[in-house]
Amino acid sequence: MQPQQFLDLVQCAFFESNTQRSSAEQVLLKYKDECPDEFMIYCASAFSNRGIQNRIRVACSTLIKRLVGLIHPPSNQIIWLACSQKTKSDVKLKFMEQLIDPENEIRRSAANTISEICAIELPRQEWPDLISRLTTNSKHTDILIKVSAIMTLGYICEALKTHQSSGISEQDSKVILMGICVGMDLNEQNLEIRLTAIKALQDSLYFMNNLFKQQEIFTYVKNLILSNAICNIQEVKHKALQCLIDFVKQLFTFLPAFINELFQTTQASFENQGEISIAAIEIWNTVCAEMKEEIMQNGNQQTPESNAVDCCVQFFKKNYEGFLLPFMRNLLLDSGDVDDEYQGLSVPDSSCKGLAFIIEFAGVNTYELVKNFIQNTITNQQWEYRKASVMAFGALAEVQTKEIELLIKSALSSLFTCLIDQHYKVKKATAQTLSRVAENYPQCFHEHDQANHMLATLLDQLNNKISIVQHLIWVFVYLTEQLQLFPNSIFSREKFTILQHLASTSVRADIKNSEISLIDTAFMAILNIIYSVTDTKLCNDYLIQFFQQIQLLESGTQVPAEIKYHLEMGLMSAMHGCVVRLDDSTTPESVFESIMKTLSNVDSRVKNDYFYVLSGIAYAFKKKLSKYSSQLIGELNKPLSEPDDMESFKTALFCLADIARAMEEEFVPYMNILNYFFGLIKNPNFNRELKLQVYNAISDIILGLKEKSFQFLGDLKEILKLGFAASMDLTKSQQNVDQDYAERLKETMTSFYTCILHAYCEPNVPNFDLRDTVDWFIIFCTEMCSLKLKPTIEYVRLTLCCIFDCSHFFQTVPETKIKLKDFITSDFVIELIRKMSQFNDKDYQECVSFAKQLLNDVYGFQLKLY
């Protein structure tokens, strides 16, 4: 390929129409695999050529950034490592030269791509002089060189963080940190250098935890960032406060050492400063979010993190007014007129979130202050005050205590008054708050003496603006989640009225594409209602109604494509919710036939949802299904033959497995598909995550077919042995990703072996074809379920059940029976049983009881648990 041809392809791949773009992308991807060196050189040469358009130069840089870490199939290593040393040196040189390009976007693009290469090379101790060169340049007298060096250092840290690599030494980390801090010096007069350095520090924090254990370094950097956060230059102040958000997250355990300084630095920025106020408040919101996460993960354990939590709690209890008062005053501000989801945070939104956090951690002393604010503003003539009152109510509702529940119950009817307020923003804030109350205190609705009036108001307000209705729909989602707990509630008694209103709302003509999530949310509530129904006649009635809606959509009704897609997805889910409660006797043959005919013609984008419904139909309508088996399996063949589309492949696979289980022996004409699945398992290049699903599907198919599939036993044993071996090999890997996969694979293989036993073995009938698999399994589970590996207790149960199945099915095979006796009475298995006995769960205790009985009755072994 000639250089100009290459540039034309880049132009097409990045900037032309979809059809041409796709074709150009494919050619480029093929070219980088076939000629990686030439590909890299062409990209670097174009990027360094100032005679080429900037957008083409940046596109070439972006190509390298995106592709260097991808696998190069011919060599089975990443693209960058597949290139020659000369190519890599030339590329790095050209990109380093562009760090002083006069154009800012070129400098930034160069820094970005250099950082991606660094993320590969630094962990391999390659490009050893880069860090020292950049840190030297961070002190350069030439502003352009200085800015580019600091920016590149920051990008390198960001890239290493993205790749979760710790590929730089502590000495290099210190050099990077000091190089960045030079640019943050309060005497630095150049604004771009100050801002670039603060952003670089933010990107580098991921690597600096160990360095900050050195008191001198921590104090220096902490003072530097706090000083920048009170700078008179607004851009510097804002950037420093944003950096502090990451600073407190990464250095949460250090908070006790500077929490008072942090409060003094940020308090003055809580109000009247727009985006600066948001950043200041978000620092404390981040602190509180870290506290919640720590409490959830470690409970009452004493750790540096728990000490930091205790310190913060005491600080909030002592200083809560310094947060609550400015935060509540901020609620009086207008959030702006933009309502879409891309708006981002506003000062009132941030303050409301912060208010909830402080109420939670400062505790009961805050309730009276917030309650008084709500009471003093909820009937105010100015809408801003009413909106602020409602938002404060919402913050209160985020915290779950008995005292707050009583406050909410007493004030909920007043909140409904605000839902019919004349001002749109009061209504919208009220809808948001009601959704919070419904999520955390559903009983306050269900048990309220004015619940009838509340339901009527909510249903009436579903005719309001979509931006309000979006929040009201969530109220219904939360209130319908546990209807069985409130059988006497008006929301339970009128659930079908609610369902009809939700269905009508989901087809409102004024829903725009940007508001499409409303449809999905409405169907979440509809599904909750369906799941609460036990009457099969009602389920059948609703099945027919949902099916008729799909018929209507498919009949050519003028509905925008995206909205039609989401409606059909929702209707499919609703149909699935209905069919799993039915059986062959509930739905007439003519209706079933009409349903099958219509569903097979739905929009191709909802085919996965269609297969999901088919799984439900296979479960419910076993007798009716056979008539349509050829049609259904024919439709499944396409997604099953295209495993690159992982989601469609998995959905079709699950559906096929459900159909096979339902059809049992009637699936025999289609069972040769097992040969295709065996090929996928044996293919070393096939996606290993999908292999787990293929094993599960094979299990379902053979359990349905049983002895009818005996001809495949040789292949089944082969893939069983492959799976056992892969599990044991991957467990020894040093890579976390391999070890995680090995955990899932060993569970899959244990279940797969259990299914093979149940498909082909009978009690008291000798089975010599599978006796060798017992030896494999003993080796496998001895290695994979060793208590030294700390297996989950559920995996211990799964393994023991499979061991007991072996004992059950091979009692009549003398040699195997002896091996199993030695194994089952060995210390290894006894220790697994003893481990299980320490857990009180009913399933685990039943497993232990069965083990004791088996050992006693079959092997004459008295099990002592302690």
Side-chain angles (χ1 to χ4, degrees):
M1 186 182 295
Q2 295 301 309
Q4 188 56 49
Q5 287 177 282
F6 181 81
L7 290 179
D8 290 343
L9 283 169
V10 172
Q11 162 85 24
C12 198
F14 278 83
F15 308 110
E16 298 300 332
S17 67
N18 288 338
T19 307
Q20 293 172 307
R21 177 182 299 173
S22 178
S23 175
E25 284 173 351
Q26 292 306 312
V27 174
L28 286 172
L29 288 172
K30 185 179 179 184
Y31 185 48
K32 62 94 179 163
D33 287 339
E34 292 176 351
C35 309
D37 287 274
E38 195 169 281
F39 183 93
M40 291 292 172
I41 291 295
Y42 279 173
C43 283
S45 299
F47 182 63
S48 63
N49 186 346
R50 295 181 186 176
I52 293 174
Q53 284 182 321
N54 278 0
R55 70 173 192 167
I56 299 294
R57 293 174 68 190
V58 170
C60 288
S61 173
T62 302
L63 274 174
I64 292 184
K65 182 180 186 302
R66 287 179 184 171
L67 299 178
V68 284
L70 296 184
I71 292 295
H72 178 242
S75 64
N76 203 29
Q77 58 184 336
I78 59 174
I79 294 285
W80 184 251
L81 299 180
C83 294
S84 69
Q85 196 58 48
K86 182 179 184 307
T87 295
K88 291 190 282 190
S89 298
D90 287 350
V91 170
K92 290 189 288 190
L93 179 63
K94 284 183 166 61
F95 273 85
M96 289 294 287
E97 288 170 349
Q98 303 318 303
L99 287 176
I100 54 170
D101 190 281
E103 297 283 350
N104 182 51
E105 69 171 327
I106 298 298
R107 296 197 302 274
R108 191 171 296 277
S109 185
N112 243 314
T113 300
I114 287 168
S115 71
E116 201 66 26
I117 294 170
C118 280
I120 297 169
E121 294 210 338
L122 290 181
R124 293 174 168 80
Q125 283 74 53
E126 296 171 2
W127 211 348
D129 64 331
L130 178 67
I131 300 298
S132 59
R133 285 171 62 188
L134 290 171
T135 48
T136 300
N137 285 346
S138 72
K139 305 175 187 69
H140 208 283
T141 53
D142 186 311
I143 289 174
L144 199 60
I145 293 174
K146 188 172 184 177
V147 169
S148 292
I150 293 170
M151 176 171 62
T152 307
L153 286 171
Y155 279 148
I156 287 170
C157 293
E158 188 177 27
L160 287 166
K161 177 182 175 182
T162 301
H163 289 271
Q164 295 188 325
S165 168
S166 54
I168 52 177
S169 66
E170 185 171 316
Q171 181 56 36
D172 278 345
S173 296
K174 189 181 291 187
V175 171
I176 289 174
L177 183 61
M178 293 304 115
I180 289 169
C181 288
V182 166
M184 290 176 63
D185 192 282
L186 301 182
N187 295 317
E188 176 57 64
Q189 297 299 306
N190 185 279
L191 180 61
E192 186 180 3
I193 289 174
R194 286 275 287 278
L195 296 175
T196 302
I198 294 170
K199 177 66 171 69
L201 175 65
Q202 193 173 359
D203 291 335
S204 72
L205 291 171
Y206 176 72
F207 299 99
M208 303 303 172
N209 272 19
N210 286 334
L211 281 184
F212 287 131
K213 290 174 183 174
Q214 300 175 38
Q215 185 64 41
E216 186 181 345
I217 292 176
F218 169 71
T219 302
Y220 172 67
V221 176
K222 178 257 296 179
N223 290 341
L224 196 57
I225 188 66
L226 290 177
S227 299
N228 276 278
I230 54 172
C231 176
N232 291 327
I233 304 169
Q234 295 297 291
E235 295 101 310
V236 172
K237 183 177 186 178
H238 183 223
K239 189 68 77 175
L241 288 168
Q242 287 183 315
C243 180
L244 274 169
I245 295 172
D246 283 353
F247 193 81
V248 297
K249 183 178 177 67
Q250 288 293 336
L251 303 174
F252 179 68
T253 56
F254 292 76
L255 262 176
F258 72 105
I259 192 167
N260 286 299
E261 288 177 274
L262 184 66
F263 184 54
Q264 290 162 12
T265 300
T266 55
Q267 189 178 23
S269 299
F270 284 163
E271 297 180 84
N272 305 318
Q273 296 181 56
E275 62 183 6
I276 286 176
S277 291
I278 292 173
I281 296 165
E282 284 302 311
I283 291 167
W284 293 99
N285 288 347
T286 301
V287 169
C288 293
E290 288 297 304
M291 291 169 68
K292 286 193 81 159
E293 187 173 340
E294 169 57 27
I295 290 167
M296 268 194 332
Q297 285 185 349
N298 293 318
N300 297 321
Q301 294 180 41
Q302 280 299 113
T303 62
E305 288 80 7
S306 68
N307 292 337
V309 170
D310 293 341
C311 168
C312 292
V313 168
Q314 293 309 312
F315 180 82
F316 288 138
K317 286 183 175 178
K318 184 179 176 182
N319 298 281
Y320 66 86
E321 287 190 359
F323 293 96
L324 292 191
L325 294 175
F327 288 0
M328 288 192 293
R329 286 193 292 267
N330 281 342
L331 300 183
L332 295 165
L333 299 174
D334 189 352
S335 300
D337 295 322
V338 183
D339 287 316
D340 67 53
E341 62 189 280
Y342 306 107
Q343 178 191 6
L345 286 170
S346 66
V347 174
D349 290 336
S350 246
S351 299
C352 189
K353 184 166 68 168
L355 188 61
F357 277 135
I358 303 301
I359 292 169
E360 180 173 2
F361 290 117
V364 70
N365 291 336
T366 64
Y367 298 171
E368 197 64 27
L369 191 60
V370 179
K371 177 185 169 185
N372 289 339
F373 177 83
I374 293 170
Q375 288 177 336
N376 292 335
T377 52
I378 197 163
T379 58
N380 195 287
Q381 288 190 344
Q382 291 181 262
W383 70 265
E384 291 91 347
Y385 283 79
R386 299 196 300 278
K387 185 209 73 165
S389 179
V390 166
M391 291 184 77
F393 198 116
L396 206 58
E398 292 281 10
V399 184
Q400 292 176 281
T401 69
K402 202 66 187 172
E403 295 90 340
I404 290 177
E405 181 181 350
L406 294 172
L407 286 174
I408 288 174
K409 276 187 177 176
S410 65
L412 193 55
S413 55
S414 298
L415 195 59
F416 268 84
T417 304
C418 294
L419 187 59
I420 55 174
D421 195 279
Q422 293 300 307
H423 200 282
Y424 160 73
K425 289 185 179 176
V426 177
K427 283 185 173 184
K428 184 180 177 188
T430 306
Q432 288 175 300
T433 292
L434 284 171
S435 70
R436 290 192 179 115
V437 176
E439 180 179 13
N440 294 319
Y441 294 97
Q443 68 274 22
C444 289
F445 287 86
H446 289 295
E447 296 169 355
H448 205 284
D449 56 9
Q450 294 187 37
N452 288 23
H453 171 69
M454 290 175 181
L455 175 59
T457 305
L458 287 169
L459 293 176
D460 181 59
Q461 289 300 310
L462 289 178
N463 296 312
N464 218 309
K465 288 185 176 180
I466 295 294
S467 54
I468 292 172
V469 173
Q470 284 175 316
H471 298 291
L472 294 181
I473 294 289
W474 278 107
V475 175
F476 286 110
V477 171
Y478 296 128
L479 293 183
T480 55
E481 273 182 346
Q482 293 182 308
L483 286 176
Q484 67 277 11
L485 297 181
F486 306 98
N488 298 321
S489 160
I490 187 68
F491 294 93
S492 287
R493 300 199 310 272
E494 294 295 329
K495 58 188 173 186
F496 303 119
T497 303
I498 295 171
L499 189 150
Q500 287 163 353
H501 277 77
L502 291 170
S504 299
T505 302
S506 70
V507 293
R508 275 179 51 164
D510 56 341
I511 297 175
K512 299 172 185 170
N513 278 0
S514 60
E515 299 162 336
I516 248 167
S517 61
L518 180 147
I519 298 172
D520 303 331
T521 312
F523 274 100
M524 286 171 66
I526 288 170
L527 277 169
N528 286 341
I529 293 171
I530 291 169
Y531 292 146
S532 73
V533 175
T534 54
D535 185 326
T536 54
K537 183 180 183 307
L538 275 174
C539 285
N540 192 63
D541 291 345
Y542 277 110
L543 171 66
I544 293 169
Q545 287 185 38
F546 294 136
F547 153 64
Q548 287 171 344
Q549 285 297 316
I550 289 180
Q551 271 188 317
L552 195 61
L553 286 169
E554 290 298 327
S555 67
T557 307
Q558 293 302 306
V559 179
E562 275 303 302
I563 288 177
K564 178 188 174 190
Y565 168 52
H566 282 261
L567 282 171
E568 287 196 343
M569 278 200 302
L571 288 164
M572 291 284 191
S573 296
M575 286 184 68
H576 181 272
C578 291
V579 296
V580 294
R581 285 163 174 72
L582 303 176
D583 57 45
D584 282 299
S585 66
T586 54
T587 306
E589 182 66 42
S590 58
V591 174
F592 185 78
E593 187 174 324
S594 186
I595 288 173
M596 296 301 294
K597 183 178 179 182
T598 300
L599 290 185
S600 64
N601 294 317
V602 291
D603 187 323
S604 60
R605 291 186 302 170
V606 294
K607 279 292 181 184
N608 285 356
D609 302 273
Y610 163 51
F611 294 146
Y612 180 55
V613 176
L614 284 184
S615 291
I617 287 172
Y619 172 82
F621 303 116
K622 292 182 172 66
K623 293 177 183 174
K624 289 185 171 70
L625 190 68
S626 301
K627 180 179 176 182
Y628 302 91
S629 56
S630 296
Q631 170 198 326
L632 298 180
I633 291 167
E635 290 178 26
L636 291 169
N637 279 337
K638 186 175 187 299
L640 287 173
S641 65
E642 298 173 351
D644 287 344
D645 183 350
M646 289 179 62
E647 282 309 307
S648 293
F649 178 85
K650 282 197 289 187
T651 310
L653 195 63
F654 295 149
C655 183
L656 180 77
D658 286 338
I659 289 171
R661 282 292 293 270
M663 291 179 66
E664 296 180 339
E665 293 183 3
E666 292 182 8
F667 191 76
V668 166
Y670 314 105
M671 66 182 181
N672 281 334
I673 198 167
L674 285 169
N675 289 320
Y676 171 62
F677 292 151
F678 297 145
L680 295 179
I681 296 288
K682 294 172 189 177
N683 181 354
N685 297 320
F686 182 63
N687 183 291
R688 68 182 188 179
E689 292 295 335
L690 289 182
K691 283 188 181 183
L692 302 180
Q693 313 304 332
V694 175
Y695 270 116
N696 291 334
I698 293 171
S699 297
D700 280 333
I701 293 170
I702 63 172
L703 278 175
L705 290 167
K706 295 209 168 179
E707 69 276 2
K708 296 289 184 182
S709 61
F710 194 77
Q711 67 191 70
F712 300 104
L713 190 60
D715 287 297
L716 288 166
K717 288 170 66 174
E718 185 180 350
I719 65 171
L720 175 71
K721 201 169 187 178
L722 281 174
F724 282 168
S727 297
M728 292 186 284
D729 287 344
L730 288 168
T731 300
K732 297 167 188 168
S733 170
Q734 299 302 309
Q735 300 291 323
N736 287 340
V737 66
D738 287 340
Q739 291 176 4
D740 290 343
Y741 179 75
E743 286 296 302
R744 298 195 302 282
L745 179 59
K746 74 180 185 183
E747 291 175 6
T748 300
M749 295 316 302
T750 305
S751 297
F752 181 63
Y753 184 51
T754 302
C755 289
I756 288 177
L757 295 177
H758 281 267
Y760 302 114
C761 295
E762 294 287 343
N764 304 316
V765 178
N767 188 315
F768 296 101
D769 297 288
L770 284 169
R771 61 182 171 180
D772 52 344
T773 64
V774 176
D775 295 330
W776 308 343
F777 178 64
I778 289 173
I779 294 169
F780 170 75
C781 68
T782 302
E783 190 159 331
M784 300 306 292
C785 204
S786 168
L787 293 179
K788 292 178 183 177
L789 296 177
K790 297 182 179 178
T792 65
I793 195 62
E794 181 55 28
Y795 183 64
V796 171
R797 187 192 68 80
L798 191 66
T799 299
L800 286 172
C801 289
C802 194
I803 292 170
F804 300 155
D805 280 338
C806 288
S807 170
H808 182 60
F809 289 125
F810 290 97
Q811 282 299 308
T812 52
V813 182
E815 289 179 13
T816 309
K817 180 181 178 180
I818 293 169
K819 285 178 186 174
L820 282 166
K821 178 182 179 181
D822 292 341
F823 181 55
I824 290 175
T825 58
S826 68
D827 289 345
F828 173 79
V829 174
I830 300 304
E831 285 305 313
L832 291 183
I833 298 169
R834 285 175 179 157
K835 182 74 175 175
M836 175 85 63
S837 71
Q838 296 169 17
F839 292 82
N840 292 325
D841 181 271
K842 181 173 175 252
D843 288 343
Y844 301 152
Q845 288 303 314
E846 284 180 358
C847 185
V848 172
S849 297
F850 183 83
K852 289 170 72 175
Q853 185 178 349
L854 175 75
L855 285 163
N856 184 66
D857 296 352
V858 178
Y859 300 109
F861 185 92
Q862 294 295 317
L863 174 64
K864 295 179 182 177
L865 293 177
Y866 304 102

